[in-house]
Amino acid sequence: MTSKSDFAPVEWKKLVQAPLLAGYAVSAADPSGFVGLLQEAFAAARSLAQAREQPGDELIKAVADELLTPTGRADAREGVRTVAQGAALDEIKHRALDSLKETGAILDAKAGEHAKPFKEWLVKIARLVAEAGLEDTFLGFGGIRMSEKEKSTLAEISSLLGVDAASHGAA
């Protein structure tokens, strides 16, 4: 079983930051306004709560549990702040993707059989965030579930993590 003790502190921090950065990359790709951003934030929070309650991978549960601690929340906020500091939206997306790529490499090197489920979880979070609000609405009517920019970013996340996005839809 892979656990926190299998990772150096800086590596564990990257794992703790990754769920927020997966959603953040999608949000930065195509901001949805205030209401859309709230819906996307709630989608990310729901996915973390579900990870703690559903049977599944212990590494995912450990990271989700860590995010509920003051240290875990501080580490996650630090990751988002580092990605966003002094950057335009497109640069924020690319910085978040770079961080996720580093996380993927850490998982490949240290997590063994737990790497794939963790990467799939990150893609699922990104998909849930992308599908959280309607895009291109007019006065609240019409719209689509996921914009082309969000689809593209989801595909980028899937590719850099080596996970098939199509097989990990919102559940």
Side-chain angles (χ1 to χ4, degrees):
M1 180 174 103
T2 306
S3 67
K4 182 177 180 177
S5 63
D6 295 311
F7 299 93
V10 70
E11 293 169 333
W12 182 251
K13 189 183 283 191
K14 281 281 193 192
L15 266 62
V16 170
Q17 293 169 349
L20 270 64
L21 291 177
Y24 199 53
V26 171
S27 293
D30 195 9
S32 303
F34 181 71
V35 172
L37 287 174
L38 284 177
Q39 291 171 325
E40 291 170 350
F42 286 131
R46 255 191 327 272
S47 67
L48 292 173
Q50 289 171 349
R52 293 185 65 243
E53 296 172 7
Q54 293 177 351
D57 189 85
E58 293 303 315
L59 181 59
I60 292 171
K61 285 183 180 189
V63 167
D65 286 341
E66 183 80 14
L67 281 164
L68 293 177
T69 69
T71 301
R73 284 191 302 274
D75 287 346
R77 281 193 304 267
E78 178 187 327
V80 170
R81 188 172 35 255
T82 299
V83 163
Q85 195 167 24
L89 281 175
D90 194 48
E91 181 63 22
I92 290 171
K93 180 187 107 168
H94 290 293
R95 288 180 182 181
L97 292 174
D98 288 345
S99 184
L100 290 171
K101 187 175 184 176
E102 291 174 30
T103 301
I106 292 167
L107 288 164
D108 289 340
K110 299 247 179 141
E113 67 188 38
H114 298 278
K116 185 177 180 188
F118 196 93
K119 290 176 181 183
E120 290 170 344
W121 180 54
L122 295 176
V123 171
K124 181 179 179 181
I125 290 169
R127 178 175 291 283
L128 288 170
V129 168
E131 293 177 340
L134 288 177
E135 307 293 332
D136 300 327
T137 64
F138 178 73
L139 299 175
F141 295 100
I144 54 175
R145 187 55 59 194
M146 191 184 315
S147 74
E148 289 304 315
K149 290 179 182 177
E150 290 171 328
K151 286 178 186 176
S152 174
T153 302
L154 181 61
E156 287 179 80
I157 292 169
S158 299
S159 176
L160 66 87
L161 292 175
V163 175
D164 179 18
S167 66
H168 301 286

